[in-house]
Amino acid sequence: MPDEQAIQPVNLRVNGSPVSIQVDPLTRLSHALREELQLTGTKVGCDAGDCGACTVLLDGDPVCACLVPVGRLQGRSVATVESLSQSEEGRSLQDSFLRNGGAQCGFCTPGMLMAASAILARSTQPTSEEICDGLGGVLCRCTGYRPIINSVADANRSEVLDPTEPSPGKSVGVSIPRVDGQQKINGLDVFGDDGAPNGALEVTVIRSPFHCADFRFEGLDAFMSSSEDVVAVLIAEDVPGVNRFGVIGPMADQPIFAETTARFLGEAVAAVVTKPMAPALRQVLIEDFPVRWVEQQFVLEPADALQPDAPQLHPERPGNVLIEGLVQHGNLDDALASPAALASGDFSTAYVEHAYIEPEAGWAELLEHPDAEREPVISIHVTTQAPFMDLLDTASLLGVDPSRVVIRPTSCGGGFGGKLDVSIQPILGLAALKTKTPVRLVYTRTESMSSTTKRHPATIRATLGANQDGSLAGLDFSGTFNTGAYASWGPTVANRVPIHAGGPYVYEAYRARSTAVHTNGPPSGAFRGFGVPQSAI
């Protein structure tokens, strides 16, 4: 616990105004800006200096605010994205980002703008090499970087997009501003962690440190009474509805909190709701949480999971097979008996992380129902790609009528399929229901990468025959897809792959088979193409 006697005011200038901050001197500048000064334009993507989303200017130089302790800022000057509109140069840079499409999802945009402003302060006409070097510390997953580089190079051209719609018949090729572009470049766009009420309770998730483990809780009451900061503990027994969710209803199999066995490393088993506290104290809570683990045998590769003696993740799915897909026509044996050319190959792909810059984040509160005689509405603000699916799953998990759940999607700081699945939504709803108080939850980068879906790893074998005239005689394709511990979009992937494996070509005979196999890896889900990139190999 921080020593309260060590907390002393730190006096500095923020965006040109004098500011005094009273926090522990080791507090991150990013935290102080967002939580103490309510300057939420500065985004936090990793808290490790890797993504650069939190880039600000410290005495004119770009730094990652998550790596700067407030104790080092006495007498210094900090500029955030909110300062850009105060100068003509800043407004010109922002307009250029709008004009050139440099702001897409918008989560990295504040960091990009601040890094760009430092480049332009050194040179009004920077070279492409200087721009790339100056922006090198800020990551983007949406733009491919070229629109951002163009935005910086074009920043000193005073031109603003016409906000009016083009006239009928003259729309093709006309650039128009993004509907939400202005708030993105001003740092005013609201993402998952930007709108929670002051003083909202905080949720910390307890996760399995093993690929597979049985567990039990010991002394939850004593744990709760050990700290006045702990408001509630949530476990599977607290889930009032059906403790299962999934994008395909009949195959829904993933619990909010595991009940007796955690099936993958990073699976949630409980959550602790606390008063606002320093991240270091939250880590102590996780380490002290009273759960006893008994590690079990696990399988991480489909080839091992398919063995007769492999541990079974879901007894109702014999052999760890989630689903199989098949598309075929013609006589493949005849087609591949003596083609003019024959090629065979084995291919494999690995897990791929979506790497959206914004981790899962949101907040929830209870609101009075429009009908005063009915129970309160559970209002959940969350970064998501699928608010309607979120609503149905969350209502089922919470055991309430869907009319009592409102999903309010914030701006989404990247998703690429990874934010189609439920993650924090029901945890937030359950915490708000139990405490009757606004609650917030933000995944760390480690939590996000360990607990959310990935692109399916695949093992593929294909044989292709061609005739002398160049026509295709036949294709024999077989793919095994690692769907991880739970179904997620595995059924969609397994059934889409056989359709797309042959590409846009005509074959005399065709057979494409796929198998989605459960392992103790993280759930595999949707990711830009749902199995097609793997089969396209």
Side-chain angles (χ1 to χ4, degrees), residues 404-433:
R404 284 193 60 202
V405 177
V406 177
I407 301 294
R408 303 185 186 277
T410 65
S411 286
C412 187
F416 323 117
K419 291 178 181 174
L420 283 171
D421 289 69
V422 162
S423 57
I424 66 174
Q425 296 88 330
I427 300 176
L428 283 169
L430 181 58
L433 269 179

Side-chain angles (χ1 to χ4, degrees), residues 175-245:
S175 294
I176 58 175
R178 290 181 61 102
V179 172
D180 56 354
Q182 196 66 47
Q183 56 260 41
K184 292 184 186 298
I185 62 171
N186 289 337
L188 300 177
D189 206 5
V190 177
F191 290 87
D193 192 36
D194 290 342
N198 290 336
L201 300 178
E202 297 176 346
V203 182
T204 300
V205 180
I206 308 299
R207 302 185 179 280
S208 171
F210 300 104
H211 293 294
C212 184
D214 292 337
F215 65 92
R216 67 177 185 270
F217 304 116
E218 299 177 343
L220 288 179
D221 291 339
F223 172 78
M224 287 193 60
S225 62
S226 66
S227 172
E228 61 181 15
D229 291 319
V230 177
V231 177
V233 172
L234 309 174
I235 61 175
E237 294 176 4
D238 295 305
V239 178
V242 179
N243 190 22
R244 293 288 183 274
F245 67 86

Side-chain angles (χ1 to χ4, degrees), residues 76-115:
R76 305 185 73 177
S77 177
V78 172
T80 72
V81 66
E82 288 89 351
S83 70
L84 291 181
S85 59
Q86 299 173 7
S87 69
E88 182 177 346
E89 294 81 6
R91 291 190 295 271
S92 179
L93 175 60
Q94 291 172 315
D95 291 340
S96 186
F97 265 68
L98 276 184
R99 190 168 61 244
N100 289 282
Q104 292 190 18
C105 90
F107 196 80
C108 76
T109 302
M112 285 290 184
L113 285 166
M114 298 316 294

